[in-house]
DNA sequence: TCTGGGGTCCTAGGACCC
DNA sequence: TCTGGGGTCCTAGGACCC
């Protein structure tokens, strides 16, 4: 008789208040201070420590609405510092790899782990992982374990919210009755794949908690909501339908866009911004070894400016696939001239690269791979090397300008301790001497 | 004054074909 | 004037995620 192979077991590890925890890692003096991290332009609150929630500050709330209240209560704000967070993210994932060879880096602060076949007490194993990450990286994490990714993620939310689990919640060790009793106390909105639109529609059908969704008829859910939510229902029932994806699929599109620190009305201002975005997007393309067949460029005014919405954009096909900053910038600026209208207070602009192909797959134009291309490749390699070493915009296209007025606000950025040597702290700063 | 920046997947509907 | 059925491909828009 064949022995039954063990059922799939998924783990999900997720850093608590990731951005705040990274800021705290380098500022031990702030370990007890309530923190918030702000979005680009210091616009919205995008991360906060737990104690902030008691002050009535919500995620995604505009900072200007709450700044005064927060400051009065001793809250410290940081502008987002993605270089720092990416660095800690890598350390986090590397630590997890010590415990299982198969992990999926799902986002900057989350990983799925394949725990299938791990012998012994999974709860204890989870605790060990959690403590090791804490010791090696200083980051606090929680771990959820379940028979599907959806269940593992849900278990993690439970572990985060309910102190009795001490940061690790294993659904697979619970009896069905125990699990169902617990799921009945979990909001349906906590389930991965249920956003606020679905939450509202589910509420009308009386589906308010995770247990009700688990018990919904897959067929009916498919008819009313589509195949995605049907899959969620089946995953809640322990079917593992979403596989661990260890390798990162190449991007299908690459975008760079940003709101301005202040409104821009002139073509020359937009030219600088679009040049910058074309440069960033092209560099990301080269990082992934991809080539673009089309460029999309857009500019828009603000939905908050009480003016009619104005958001022109246009896509052009490139004569042959390219990842050259120069060619992509030219295409983007060509579009910009076509779509620009005067007397508009532009708030945001961006460049999107589309129809991406890997190097092997790219079709050459009728002239094939020309001398021009190899010169361009060499130039781009040199540019990436210099910018990789000395910072993103050390070497750039002249149309980007020198120090434009519209650059985003990052008034509270922490120094780039892990990246740029010129921002390393001196011994005195580090220890408050 | 001040309101983020990326992505993915699915579906419906139109254009076009025979 | 009327006018079928089945297929593909593309795009826009809507939902979700972090």
């Amino acid at each position: 008789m064949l022995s039954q192979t063990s059922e799939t077991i998924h783990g999900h590890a997720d850093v608590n208040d990731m951005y705040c925890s990274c800021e705290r890692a380098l500022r031990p003096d702030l370990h007890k201070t309530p923190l918030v991290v702000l979005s680009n332009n210091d616009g919205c609150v995008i991360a906060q420590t737990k104690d902030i929630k008691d002050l009535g500050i919500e995620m995604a709330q505009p900072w200007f609405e709450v700044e005064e209240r927060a400051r009065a209560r001793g809250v410290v704000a940081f502008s987002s510092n993605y270089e720092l967070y990416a660095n800690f993210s890598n350390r986090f994932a590397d630590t997890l790899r010590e415990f299982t060879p198969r992990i999926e880096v799902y986002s900057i602060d989350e990983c799925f782990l394949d725990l299938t076949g791990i012998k012994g007490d999974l709860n204890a194993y989870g605790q060990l992982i959690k403590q090791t990450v804490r010791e090696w990286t200083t980051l606090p994490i929680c771990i959820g374990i379940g028979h599907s990714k959806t269940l593992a993620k849900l278990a993690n939310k439970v572990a985060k919210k309910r102190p009795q689990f001490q940061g690790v919640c294993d659904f697979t060790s619970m009896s069905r009755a125990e699990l169902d009793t617990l799921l009945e106390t979990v909001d349906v909105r906590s389930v991965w794949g249920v956003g606020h639109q679905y939450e509202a529609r589910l509420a009308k059908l009386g589906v308010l908690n995770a247990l009700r969704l688990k018990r919904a008829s897959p067929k009916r859910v498919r008819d009313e909501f589509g195949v995605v939510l049907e899959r969620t229902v089946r995953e809640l029932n322990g079917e593992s339908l979403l596989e661990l994806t260890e390798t990162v699929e190449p991007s299908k599109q690459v975008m760079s866009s940003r709101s301005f620190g202040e409104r821009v009305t002139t073509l020359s201002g937009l030219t600088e911004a679009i040049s910058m975005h074309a440069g960033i997007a092209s560099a990301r393309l080269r990082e992934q070894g991809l080539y673009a067949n089309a460029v999309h460029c857009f500019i828009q005014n603000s939905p908050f400016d009480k003016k009619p919405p104005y958001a022109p954009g246009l896509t052009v096909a490139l004569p042959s696939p390219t990842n050259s900053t120069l060619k992509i910038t030219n295409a983007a600026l060509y579009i910009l001239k076509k779509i620009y209208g005067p007397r508009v207070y532009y708030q945001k602009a961006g460049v999107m690269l589309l129809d991406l192909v890997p190097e092997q797959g790219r079709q050459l134009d009728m002239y094939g791979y020309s001398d021009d291309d190899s010169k361009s490749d060499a130039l781009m390699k040199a540019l990436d090397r210099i910018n990789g070493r000395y910072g993103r915009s050390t070497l750039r296209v002249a149309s980007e300008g020198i120090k434009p007025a519209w650059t985003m606000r990052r008034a509270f950025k922490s120094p780039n301790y892990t990246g740029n040597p010129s921002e390393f702290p001196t011994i005195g700063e580090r220890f408050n001497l």
Side-chain angles (χ1 to χ4, degrees):
Chain A
M1 196 168 117
L2 290 171
S3 66
Q4 186 119 26
T5 53
S6 60
E7 284 179 281
T8 313
I9 297 184
H10 291 280
H12 178 258
D14 167 318
V15 180
N16 305 346
D17 312 322
M18 170 75 172
Y19 297 172
C20 295
S21 297
C22 294
E23 298 292 351
R24 273 182 173 160
L26 297 160
R27 286 291 305 274
D29 56 309
L30 296 179
H31 265 80
K32 296 236 163 94
T33 310
L35 301 184
V36 294
V37 174
L38 307 177
S39 64
N40 285 319
N41 279 314
D42 298 337
C44 295
V45 174
I46 54 168
Q48 54 190 355
T49 47
K50 292 214 169 27
D51 32 15
I52 300 283
K53 287 155 199 163
D54 310 333
L55 299 182
I57 297 175
E58 300 294 323
M59 286 287 272
Q61 205 167 5
W63 176 234
F64 74 89
E65 283 180 14
V66 295
E67 178 167 9
E68 204 178 311
R69 192 155 29 108
R71 297 277 190 211
R73 306 288 285 272
V75 173
V76 171
F78 284 94
S79 305
S80 34
N81 180 352
Y82 288 101
E83 295 85 353
L84 179 70
Y85 312 148
N87 191 292
F88 272 93
S89 178
N90 291 335
R91 296 170 196 225
F92 165 56
D94 287 344
T95 308
L96 296 179
R97 284 195 189 89
E98 301 280 327
F99 292 91
T100 165
R102 299 191 58 219
I103 80 166
E104 170 184 345
V105 178
Y106 178 69
S107 75
I108 196 159
D109 67 340
E110 284 177 54
C111 291
F112 286 101
L113 319 162
D114 182 9
L115 298 178
T116 309
I118 301 280
K119 302 225 174 10
D121 182 353
L122 281 176
N123 229 309
Y125 199 61
Q127 287 293 347
L128 179 63
I129 298 175
K130 176 176 163 245
Q131 281 155 22
T132 308
V133 171
R134 181 78 178 169
E135 282 167 27
W136 292 7
T137 69
T138 77
L139 299 175
I141 68 167
C142 284
I143 291 181
I145 300 168
H147 285 299
S148 63
K149 280 183 161 180
T150 303
L151 284 169
K153 248 183 105 103
L154 197 58
N156 198 326
K157 282 214 174 167
V158 172
K160 269 205 179 21
K161 280 194 192 143
R162 307 191 187 185
Q164 68 266 34
F165 288 99
Q166 297 178 28
V168 177
C169 176
D170 176 16
F171 281 173
T172 67
S173 67
M174 296 181 189
S175 71
R176 175 179 299 236
E178 259 179 307
L179 180 56
D180 285 357
T181 306
L182 195 155
L183 292 182
E184 199 169 11
T185 67
V186 174
D187 278 355
V188 74
R189 182 63 223 270
S190 305
V191 175
W192 191 29
V194 179
H196 43 282
Q197 306 289 336
Y198 285 1
E199 180 190 26
R201 283 169 61 194
L202 286 166
K204 286 193 190 138
L205 302 171
V207 179
L208 297 171
N209 62 56
L211 180 64
R212 291 295 295 268
L213 185 60
K214 175 183 173 182
R215 294 200 173 153
S217 142
K219 163 97 172 69
R220 181 153 176 227
V221 169
R222 182 190 197 119
D223 292 345
E224 297 204 18
F225 295 87
V227 297
V228 178
L229 198 65
E230 184 208 4
R231 193 173 55 201
T232 300
V233 170
R234 291 169 54 186
E235 284 238 331
L236 282 176
N237 283 280
E239 268 185 82
S240 175
L241 301 172
L242 295 165
E243 287 187 13
L244 197 78
T245 42
E246 291 167 271
T247 51
V248 184
E249 292 294 307
S251 301
K252 294 177 180 169
Q253 55 184 52
V254 167
M255 170 151 71
S256 175
S257 83
R258 194 130 301 172
S259 327
F260 302 127
E262 54 191 61
R263 302 286 184 264
V264 173
T265 58
T266 61
L267 182 58
S268 65
L270 292 173
T271 298
E272 291 173 346
I274 290 298
S275 302
M276 178 187 79
H277 290 304
I280 293 174
S282 308
R284 276 188 207 152
L285 203 60
R286 294 193 292 274
E287 255 173 55
Q288 298 189 50
L290 296 173
Y291 293 75
N293 278 293
V295 176
H296 181 86
C297 167
F298 65 90
I299 50 182
Q300 60 190 46
N301 64 358
S302 169
F304 299 100
D305 276 356
K306 300 186 179 73
K307 292 269 167 70
Y310 185 70
L314 203 64
T315 307
V316 295
L318 295 160
S320 66
T322 184
N323 60 17
S324 154
T325 291
L326 304 180
K327 289 181 186 169
I328 289 169
T329 303
N330 279 341
L333 292 180
Y334 165 83
I335 298 172
L336 175 62
K337 282 189 201 107
K338 298 229 161 208
I339 61 178
Y340 172 75
R343 292 181 296 283
V344 177
Y345 288 84
Y346 294 99
Q347 173 252 351
K348 184 176 179 178
V351 171
M352 214 185 302
L353 305 180
L354 306 159
D355 197 359
L356 308 185
V357 290
E359 188 156 20
Q360 313 85 291
R362 68 178 169 140
Q363 295 219 338
L364 299 169
D365 60 25
M366 58 193 292
Y367 305 107
Y369 189 80
S370 64
D371 186 42
D372 181 44
D373 284 327
S374 59
K375 273 187 203 148
S376 161
D377 281 354
L379 180 60
M380 289 305 121
K381 280 206 180 81
L383 184 139
D384 290 338
R385 232 179 4 250
I386 291 169
N387 287 346
R389 182 149 180 191
Y390 298 105
R392 216 230 90 229
S393 51
T394 307
L395 204 58
R396 57 194 194 274
V397 180
S399 50
E400 273 194 45
I402 305 298
K403 176 70 182 142
W406 46 263
T407 47
M408 64 169 169
R409 286 181 300 279
R410 287 174 95 183
F412 320 115
K413 194 180 92 64
S414 52
N416 198 357
Y417 291 128
T418 56
N420 187 342
S422 69
E423 295 185 32
F424 286 172
T426 64
I427 299 287
E429 279 169 2
R430 179 68 178 73
F431 296 101
N432 287 323
L433 298 177

